[in-house]
Amino acid sequence: MQAFYKNKWFLLIIMALTWGSSFILIKKSLPVFSPYQIGAFRVGLSGLILVFIGLPALRKMKLRDALWVAAAGFFGNFLPMFLFPIAQTQVSSSLAGIINSLEPVFVLVFGFLFFGIRSKTIQVIGAVTGFIGAATLLYFSEKTTQESQLAYTLLMVLASGSYAVSALIIKLKLQEVKSIHVSSSVFTIWMFPSIIILIFSGFFGIEYNAEAYKALGFLSILSIFGTAIGIMLFYKLIQDTSAVFASTVSYLLPVVAVMWGILDGEQFTIWYLLGALLILIGIYLIREKKKKPQVTPR
C-alpha cells in the first residue's frame, strides 16, 4: 500500500475519482443545506477529524510557515468550498467540474506572473490541449442549458484560480513541511471560522427528516473523502511532483462527471470520447519527466 501511496499516477486517479464525484454530492446536498452551510460543514468536519494532528504540528511550526499555511488554506480549502456551492445553485454539477479544469492554466499563468516560474513550451501546449478537451465536454454536455449563468460561472473560475494560488504556495513556500502537517494544520486553522458560520447560519437548528438525513449523508461523504482525505493526497502530490502536474487532476474531473452521467442514463457520444482523449494527452504533456542521473566521467 505504501508503494501505491508514493505513486503519482495512483494518487492522481484517486483524487480524480473523489473530486470528480464531489460536484454531484454538492448537488445532492443543496436541497436541504445552504451553500454556506455546505462549505462550512466540509471545512469544520475535516478540521475536527485532523485537529489532533494539526494542533501539535502548528505548535512546532515556525511563524512564517504557519502564516503561509493559513494563506494556502484560505485559497485552497476555505474560499472555494463556498464558491462552488453558491455557483451550483444556478449551474449544473457537470459544468462545475469542467470549469474547475482551468486550474492548471492558472498555475502556469500565476506561476509566471507572481513567482517567476517559466514553464516548458510542451507544458503550455499540454495545458491548452487539456483545456480544449474540457471545453469539448462542456459544449456537448451543456446543450440543454437554457441560458448562460455568466456571474455564477465566473465564481467557479475564481475558485479555480484560488486553487491554483494555493497549489503554488504549497510547492514554493511549504516544500519542507510534511504534507500531512500542512493539510491537517490548514483545516485546524479554518475549522474555527467554519464552526462560527455553521452556528449563525442555523445549521444546528435544522429539523431533520428522512430527506435531511440523506442529504447529511451525502455531505458527510463529501467532507471526509472529497475534502479531508482528498486534500491530504493533493498536497502530497504537489510536494512529490509540481503544482502544475498536481493541478492536472482537474482535467480528469470532467471525465468522471461524464461517467456519472452515463451511469445516470445520459447518452454517450463520440465527442465525449474525443474530449477525454484530449484531456489525457494534455496530462501526458504536462507530466514531470524524471531527470536522468548524471554520470561523472572518471
Side-chain angles (χ1 to χ4, degrees), residues 14-298:
I14 293 299
M15 286 189 299
L17 292 174
T18 55
W19 284 359
S21 304
S22 65
F23 302 102
I24 192 68
L25 292 172
I26 291 174
K27 179 181 178 181
K28 297 292 185 182
S29 304
L30 277 171
V32 175
F33 303 107
S34 72
Y36 303 100
Q37 290 171 338
I38 291 174
F41 185 88
R42 293 180 68 179
V43 180
L45 180 59
S46 299
L48 290 174
I49 293 172
L50 297 172
V51 68
F52 299 104
I53 302 174
L55 202 55
L58 280 171
R59 289 174 177 172
K60 297 178 181 178
M61 204 175 291
K62 296 178 182 178
L63 177 60
R64 179 182 64 85
D65 290 339
L67 292 175
W68 280 119
V69 165
F74 175 78
F75 288 109
N77 308 91
F78 189 74
L79 181 61
M81 301 301 173
F82 298 95
L83 293 179
F84 274 109
I86 292 172
Q88 283 188 234
T89 61
Q90 299 295 326
V91 300
S92 70
S93 59
S94 59
L95 176 58
I98 292 168
I99 292 298
N100 195 51
S101 63
L102 283 169
E103 184 184 340
V105 178
F106 279 120
V107 169
L108 291 176
V109 173
F110 291 164
F112 175 74
L113 291 177
F114 303 120
F115 297 96
I117 300 175
R118 294 185 177 276
S119 301
K120 298 176 182 177
T121 303
I122 194 69
Q123 289 182 310
V124 176
I125 294 174
V128 174
T129 302
F131 179 70
I132 292 174
T136 301
L137 288 178
L138 170 61
Y139 180 79
F140 289 100
S141 65
E142 288 296 309
K143 284 184 177 181
T144 57
T145 302
Q146 294 181 353
E147 58 183 62
S148 175
Q149 300 288 349
L150 180 60
Y152 292 93
T153 301
L154 289 177
L155 285 180
M156 294 186 292
V157 172
L158 175 61
S160 298
S162 183
Y163 278 134
V165 172
S166 177
L168 287 166
I169 291 174
I170 297 298
K171 182 62 182 180
L172 300 176
K173 302 298 182 180
L174 296 169
Q175 182 66 26
E176 302 303 320
V177 183
K178 291 183 178 179
S179 58
I180 182 65
H181 291 164
V182 175
S183 55
S184 58
S185 298
V186 157
F187 286 117
T188 299
I189 292 172
W190 292 104
M191 169 184 67
F192 297 103
S194 297
I195 292 175
I196 293 174
I197 292 173
L198 284 177
I199 292 172
F200 285 97
S201 67
F203 177 84
F204 297 103
I206 294 176
E207 294 184 7
Y208 282 89
N209 51 28
E211 182 183 4
Y213 279 118
K214 187 176 180 180
L216 182 62
F218 287 127
L219 186 53
S220 299
I221 293 172
L222 171 65
S223 302
I224 295 171
F225 293 98
T227 308
I229 295 177
I231 290 297
M232 284 192 291
L233 296 179
F234 183 58
Y235 284 175
K236 175 173 174 53
L237 188 61
I238 291 174
Q239 293 185 339
D240 288 353
T241 57
S242 72
V244 174
F245 179 84
S247 65
T248 57
V249 66
S250 61
Y251 280 161
L252 289 171
L253 302 189
V255 180
V256 177
V258 170
M259 290 172 61
W260 274 111
I262 294 172
L263 291 174
D264 199 39
E266 294 180 6
Q267 184 179 5
F268 180 80
T269 71
I270 190 64
W271 296 108
Y272 287 173
L273 182 61
L274 175 61
L277 181 60
L278 289 173
I279 288 170
L280 293 175
I281 292 173
I283 293 174
Y284 178 78
L285 295 176
I286 289 176
R287 79 196 191 286
E288 294 292 308
K289 294 183 179 179
K290 292 183 178 180
K291 294 182 179 179
K292 295 181 180 181
Q294 298 290 332
V295 179
T296 304
R298 296 183 179 179

